[in-house]
Amino acid sequence: MSTDLNLPGPESGFIATFGSGEPHTLFGHGFAGAIRDTRPFGTGITGTRHFLHLPGHGGRPSPGPGWTYPQIAEVLADAVSTTSASRALGVSMSAGGLLHLLSIAHPVTRGLDKVALVLPASFTGFPAEVAAANRSYLEQLRRLVADEDIDGIVELMLSREPAEVAQMLPARAWTKAKAENLVHTDMSDGLGLALEIAVADADEAAENLRSFSGDVLVLTHEDDPAHPVSVAEDIHRAIPNSRLEVLPAGSILWRGRHDVRRILGEFFG
């Protein structure tokens, strides 16, 4: 059995568990992320905390090229059921998966009383300029991955970060690890996810999101091309009793961890 709780294997459903007692909270990472990235979001949150590796991450096999949010949503639904989670937090890709579950009123969502969507990357679509920028970025990234140009991938990824963040040694090391995974694992199967949307049927989604009885937090930060504030605002409008928090640029992963812990602590209690 795996001894590194940051790298759980198939025997645990690729889920690492910390803490004990009620409530149970599931944490899902973003694209090219890992359990290590989501563990800080659980700091100070009581009960049992379950951290999931999605397919294509942490040694879990990819489902093949062309990932979609419904695929991600089903993996998250299985994890919610397996862990008996009554609360869930998703970052970026996982936020999109949770949003998809809410939008179709998936049966597992009936047992969720709190859902945090952190850096949601997708909803019902993108403004034209955002879609064009995403396509351009993805084309560049695909070329660099095909060329196994890790340094080039690092510089391209950091070009989307605030200048102060791009110069931080921990941020550079974290980005290099992501670049190496894109080149050396099957994670690159999911590159096209940047162009996908989490919700296909806007009318059905609108009704189901209005009807969700749990509490929803939408947490993002400014000036992040991969996670436009406008997407978070659209989600907030679609879920009438949700709470929206927009932090300064670079806050959520690097420069505002105290604020993030405070907000999540207030939300999850």
Side-chain angles (χ1 to χ4, degrees), residues 186-203:
D186 56 12
M187 184 187 294
S188 59
D189 285 348
L191 280 175
L193 199 65
L195 304 180
E196 296 290 322
I197 61 174
V199 173
D201 189 328
D203 291 336

Side-chain angles (χ1 to χ4, degrees), residues 86-214:
S86 61
R87 312 186 304 180
L89 178 148
V91 181
S92 190
M93 172 174 68
S94 292
L98 290 173
L99 185 60
H100 182 82
L101 292 177
L102 295 175
S103 76
I104 63 171
H106 191 286
V108 299
T109 64
R110 297 174 196 148
L112 293 175
D113 53 42
K114 289 182 182 290
V115 177
L117 307 173
V118 180
L119 294 175
S122 173
F123 184 35
T124 56
F126 302 101
E129 64 275 14
V130 173
N134 283 347
R135 281 193 296 271
S136 175
Y137 175 80
L138 182 58
E139 289 168 4
Q140 294 177 71
L141 189 54
R142 286 191 190 280
R143 286 196 296 269
L144 292 167
V145 170
D147 293 340
E148 299 186 359
D149 184 352
I150 289 173
D151 290 340
I153 296 169
V154 170
E155 294 308 317
L156 178 64
M157 287 182 165
L158 288 174
S159 72
R160 301 187 114 192
E161 299 286 350
E164 309 93 294
V165 170
Q167 297 305 315
M168 294 171 62
L169 292 180
R172 296 191 70 85
W174 181 72
T175 304
K176 185 174 182 180
K178 293 173 70 172
E180 290 172 342
N181 283 333
L182 280 171
V183 169
H184 298 310
T185 75
D186 56 12
M187 184 187 294
S188 59
D189 285 348
L191 280 175
L193 199 65
L195 304 180
E196 296 290 322
I197 61 174
V199 173
D201 189 328
D203 291 336
E204 177 190 18
E207 180 177 349
N208 289 329
L209 291 172
R210 283 195 302 268
S211 301
F212 179 62
S213 60

Side-chain angles (χ1 to χ4, degrees), residues 20-99:
S20 62
E22 298 290 341
H24 289 251
T25 308
L26 178 71
F27 296 81
H29 58 76
F31 180 72
I35 285 172
R36 284 187 177 90
D37 303 325
T38 47
R39 282 186 64 181
F41 292 109
T43 301
I45 292 177
T46 58
T48 307
R49 301 175 303 283
H50 305 278
F51 297 85
L52 170 71
H53 268 140
L54 288 165
H57 297 76
R60 185 173 187 171
S62 162
W67 300 355
T68 67
Y69 280 104
Q71 283 179 326
I72 294 161
E74 280 305 319
V75 175
L76 290 167
D78 288 344
V80 168
S81 179
T82 297
T83 61
S84 300
S86 61
R87 312 186 304 180
L89 178 148
V91 181
S92 190
M93 172 174 68
S94 292
L98 290 173
L99 185 60

